[in-house]
């Protein structure tokens, strides 16, 4: 019988692992609760009307269509039976495995304030992105309709919480939307007056980057009209607004980009997790007491060279690649492989049109050239020629015409909150 | 004071009217309950994964951005005060008018069986299209997951009710999806075995077309694996399936393309309506007792040359153009214009790749050439170069690669019904 590999999660780690097992003669089952793989690094551009949903998501089945050794299942995992060696689905069906790979990613975390989520949604799925897009666009519509000056100001105040790369990128585009793209379209309000707040509890924005790049980013954001607030703790989020320390700021649109919590994989596996819910794995990315169960990507707490491996796409891909090679070595009966070693390729973030920062460690880039390098790198990493072409056209069109292409308000939500 | 024109509905009729009033010196308010104009003739392609939502919808504000004389409002109209000459919004706000244009379109109708809607959704909005897309794709996923042969068959039975152009086009693409695009992607089911039923109560499909074209369409559909059933009344739609006369057919995906009901404009206006809810207007497209209130498009019951004007995009556009000219004539104090005359340009429908029918009245086309003419005509009618480019690429890509690009399942709906 063929060696049965069950992979839960078709993100960067899961897909890379399946790709690495091509031709290995395994019987692979790839399970995800969504029908699409999502290119999360560009999700913020869907939330801010630059890209359409279908430009950064691909049906997992289609990606796997020529892999006869892979069975794709759209299903929700509810647990893992480690004794019987089976994954349990919500339908009750059990999928047996010889090797299990769990790479189920993370959700946003509210540090014990989960009730903030309704008023301060995070950004992890396509639905999150269309929810944020709808709220952003509705805020301008509501401001246009109201005669109440205080309400208008609250509708035109946008608060982004957390100044990592995602928070910076969101704030930058929202400011461009308000100050560059929308002004000509409204008759009662001046969208130039919209306030965009980028709120960070830590001492500075972009802690993963060198300080001079973060300084450049702060200046670039401020030039675009973003108010950058550092060392400011968020103490409450409600439908009325956001509380910074003991200062209330009326705001109808809050976006949460401040923290992540791993998926419940540690509970399924009854395995030790860190505070963020990430499963602690060995240097071969497996459970300490079970070398045939791997945990990869944002779901895993991995160290390399004495440092925590960051929760970014290149790290997840490297882990998927490593685990695939390890599984192949075992099947071939070869000696144990060297432990996982993470190679950091660099950090990059856009601030807005013509401005990005790239920190390669050895050297840095910023400004226009960095922005082009950022764009070309991201197009390169998309799946398939069609997405590359479509995203390129959307970006070029937006660049040349000053118009974003995906400004649709869809799904029911009453106009009046 | 400027002449105040209030336009309710930014469909084909409404937009054409506003365009016709360019430079007329009016103060125009354009009200719609959605933020986008929708190119409805291609909506079925969004429902069947060929096109993305943003490719056939445009923010109304953006279309109107250079028209300083137009104020766009995203709002829901709840009534019209004909005495005070004001349109009433759901917020309670009242918008005064000198001339009122109501062009609010139609919804699908169930002929007294509105409870069928949950199990047999129709196709009028972007949400309708993504709902149908989700159900179509989930049916294949559920079939792949189940071990129950009867359930699998019900999941793989797709019923399209109504064989006008929309029903024919839907059935054609669903058959292509099942028989040409998806087969390689599933491991447990053979999607070739999927049944696609096109159900028509009348004696033949495509009553608007010449009989030889309808015969050609029937053969083209059957070649693609569609079962065409005519003279068959639908007597019930439930979550279990569809009842044809007294014969139950288990089916988990029913799509309603059988009838339309006009929006509640006749109630707002306290005006006489026909059985389908369409307001009866004079030959100048106005209310019989109020020449300053126009009703256009699918909301109106209009006759021209002794025949009912059909509810299609070119007819709505011609009405918008006529009403704009009439309003301009009145403002200029010119003599009354000739009554509205509808010029029928023809009927067209696609059956699937390489097959379409066009009935220009004087001559007819079918097959490959008609399909290309159909495609080029539709690209021509899209708004803006970006949409034309994107839709062209999506179609070409699908044609050359055999892959549809918008196969995403989004929004929450549990996998198990």
């Amino acid at each position: 019988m063929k060696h049965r590999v069950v992979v839960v999660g078709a993100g960067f780690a899961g897909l890379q692992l399946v790709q690495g097992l091509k031709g290995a003669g395994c019987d692979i089952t790839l399970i995800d609760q969504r029908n699409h793989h999502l290119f999360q690094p560009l999700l913020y551009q869907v939330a801010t009307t630059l890209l359409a949903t279908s430009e950064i998501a691909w049906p997992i089945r289609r990606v796997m269509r020529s892999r006869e050794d892979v069975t794709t299942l759209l299903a929700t995992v509810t647990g893992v039976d480690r004794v019987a060696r089976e994954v349990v689905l919500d339908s009750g069906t059990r999928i047996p495995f010889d090797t299990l790979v769990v790479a189920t990613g993370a959700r946003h975390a509210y540090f014990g304030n989960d009730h903030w989520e309704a008023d301060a949604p995070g950004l992890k799925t396509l639905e999150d992105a269309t929810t944020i897009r709808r709220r952003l666009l509705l805020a301008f519509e509501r401001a246009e309709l109201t005669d109440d000056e205080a309400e208008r100001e609250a509708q035109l105040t946008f608060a982004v919480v957390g100044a990592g790369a995602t928070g910076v990128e969101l704030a930058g585009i929202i400011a461009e939307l308000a100050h560059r793209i929308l002004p000509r379209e409204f008759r009662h309000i001046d969208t130039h007056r919209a306030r965009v707040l980028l709120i960070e509890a830590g001492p500075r924005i972009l802690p993963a980057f060198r300080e001079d790049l973060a300084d450049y980013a702060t200046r670039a954001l401020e030039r675009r009209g973003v108010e950058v607030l550092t060392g400011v703790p968020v103490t409450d989020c409600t439908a009325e607004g956001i509380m910074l320390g003991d200062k209330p700021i009326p705001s109808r649109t809050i976006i949460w980009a401040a923290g992540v919590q791993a998926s419940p994989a540690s509970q399924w596996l009854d395995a030790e997790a860190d505070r963020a819910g990430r499963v602690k794995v060995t240097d071969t990315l497996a459970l300490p007491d079970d070398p045939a169960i791997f945990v990869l990507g944002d779901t895993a707490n991995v160290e390399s060279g004495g440092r925590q491996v960051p929760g970014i796409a290149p790290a997840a891909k490297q882990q998927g690649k490593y685990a695939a090679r390890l599984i192949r070595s075992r099947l071939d009966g070869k000696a144990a492989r060297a432990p996982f070693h993470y190679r950091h390729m660099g950090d990059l973030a856009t601030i807005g049109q013509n401005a990005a920062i790239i920190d390669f460690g050895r050297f840095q880039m910023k400004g226009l050239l960095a922005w082009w390098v950022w764009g070309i790198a991201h197009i390169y990493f998309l799946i398939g020629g069609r997405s590359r072409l479509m995203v390129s056209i959307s970006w070029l069109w937006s660049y040349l015409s000053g118009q974003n292409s995906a400004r649709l308000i869809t799904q029911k939500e009453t106009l009046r909150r």
Side-chain angles (χ1 to χ4, degrees), chain A:
Chain A
M1 202 171 87
K2 284 180 180 172
H3 188 82
R4 295 163 304 182
V5 180
V6 173
V7 183
V8 187
F12 288 111
L15 280 196
Q16 192 73 49
L17 176 113
V18 173
Q19 197 172 313
L21 289 179
K22 189 174 180 175
C26 300
D27 177 0
I28 302 170
T29 304
L30 177 57
I31 306 170
D32 200 292
Q33 55 182 337
R34 315 225 159 227
N35 86 323
H36 49 269
H37 168 73
L38 180 65
F39 193 80
Q40 268 186 357
L42 289 179
L43 192 57
Y44 78 98
Q45 298 210 350
V46 174
T48 50
T49 76
L50 252 170
L51 293 178
T53 50
S54 57
E55 290 173 353
I56 62 159
W58 304 268
I60 299 161
R61 286 195 182 286
R62 191 174 86 197
V63 177
M64 293 297 156
R65 70 186 179 283
S66 55
R67 286 289 297 274
E68 297 286 345
D69 55 333
V70 178
T71 300
T72 304
L73 293 184
L74 173 64
T76 301
V77 170
T78 54
V80 174
D81 185 336
R82 287 180 57 179
V83 178
R85 311 305 275 176
E86 289 170 337
V87 170
V88 185
L89 306 184
D90 61 348
S91 58
T93 306
R94 289 168 160 257
I95 315 282
F97 64 82
D98 299 309
T99 294
L100 173 64
V101 179
V102 179
T104 42
R107 285 286 297 169
H108 29 275
Y110 294 85
F111 312 120
N113 294 291
D114 286 353
H115 57 288
W116 292 355
E117 184 165 19
D119 296 306
L123 185 61
K124 281 283 171 190
T125 67
L126 279 185
E127 282 84 4
D128 292 341
T130 48
T131 297
I132 289 172
R133 182 174 78 186
R134 179 175 60 239
R135 292 198 180 184
L136 274 178
L137 294 172
L138 278 179
F140 289 102
E141 297 292 341
R142 290 174 178 136
E144 175 85 347
L145 278 174
T146 189
D147 291 321
D148 177 337
E149 187 52 38
E151 174 63 18
R152 181 173 294 175
E153 227 168 83
Q155 291 290 1
L156 290 178
T157 301
F158 302 90
V160 178
V161 183
T166 302
V168 165
E169 296 180 313
L170 281 168
I173 303 203
I174 295 170
E176 291 190 334
L177 197 63
H179 301 150
R180 195 168 55 81
I181 293 175
L182 294 182
R184 282 186 66 194
E185 303 189 5
F186 289 85
R187 304 290 176 254
H188 300 313
I189 57 171
D190 178 2
T191 64
H192 288 107
R193 285 179 49 206
R195 292 179 69 192
V196 182
L197 311 177
L198 178 62
I199 301 154
E200 169 62 46
R204 72 167 173 99
I205 70 168
L206 296 168
F209 290 78
R210 264 177 45 162
E211 192 146 6
D212 58 328
L213 290 178
D215 286 345
Y216 165 80
T218 300
R219 287 193 308 275
L221 284 167
E222 286 173 348
R223 256 200 314 277
R224 282 165 175 76
V226 176
E227 301 172 43
V228 180
L229 308 174
T230 53
V232 174
V234 171
T235 48
D236 201 8
C237 297
T238 69
E240 297 307 308
I242 191 164
M243 185 77 87
L244 304 182
D246 50 12
K247 189 184 169 200
I249 302 206
S251 164
R252 297 286 178 272
T253 312
I254 309 171
I255 306 175
W256 192 261
V260 293
Q261 175 75 25
S263 62
S266 69
Q267 289 148 45
W268 300 345
L269 299 169
D270 194 20
E272 195 190 350
D274 65 12
R275 267 185 13 160
R278 291 175 299 197
V279 175
K280 292 185 178 170
V281 294
T282 65
D283 58 6
T284 60
L285 309 180
L287 292 186
D289 57 349
D290 197 334
I293 298 183
F294 295 90
V295 184
L296 310 179
D298 289 0
T299 321
N301 177 325
V302 183
E303 291 204 350
S304 171
R307 296 178 63 180
Q308 181 85 35
V309 176
I312 56 178
K317 285 184 172 181
Q318 289 179 31
Q319 292 171 42
K321 204 167 178 178
Y322 173 87
R325 284 194 183 150
L326 187 60
I327 294 168
R328 294 183 90 120
S329 296
R330 285 181 189 163
L331 292 176
D332 296 346
K334 286 185 190 153
R337 288 183 59 88
F340 173 71
H341 173 69
Y342 171 61
R343 193 161 151 248
H344 189 62
M345 309 297 286
D347 291 294
L348 21 74
T350 47
I351 293 114
Q353 203 156 289
N354 296 332
I357 51 174
I358 306 183
D359 191 341
F360 285 119
R362 241 174 274 187
F363 70 101
Q364 286 74 33
M365 291 172 75
K366 57 176 189 260
L368 181 65
L369 183 64
W371 188 70
W372 280 96
V373 170
W374 177 94
I376 290 164
H378 278 76
I379 285 172
Y380 175 79
F381 284 117
L382 292 171
I383 294 181
R386 190 189 157 276
S387 294
R388 288 185 189 128
L389 184 65
M390 289 302 213
V391 170
S392 303
I393 293 173
S394 286
W395 283 350
L396 261 180
W397 202 273
S398 168
Y399 190 63
L400 298 175
S401 73
Q403 273 303 329
N404 292 353
S405 49
R407 277 177 40 206
L408 304 180
I409 297 175
T410 51
Q411 303 309 323
K412 282 163 208 140
E413 177 167 25
T414 49
L415 188 61
R416 326 187 61 216
R417 273 173 79 170

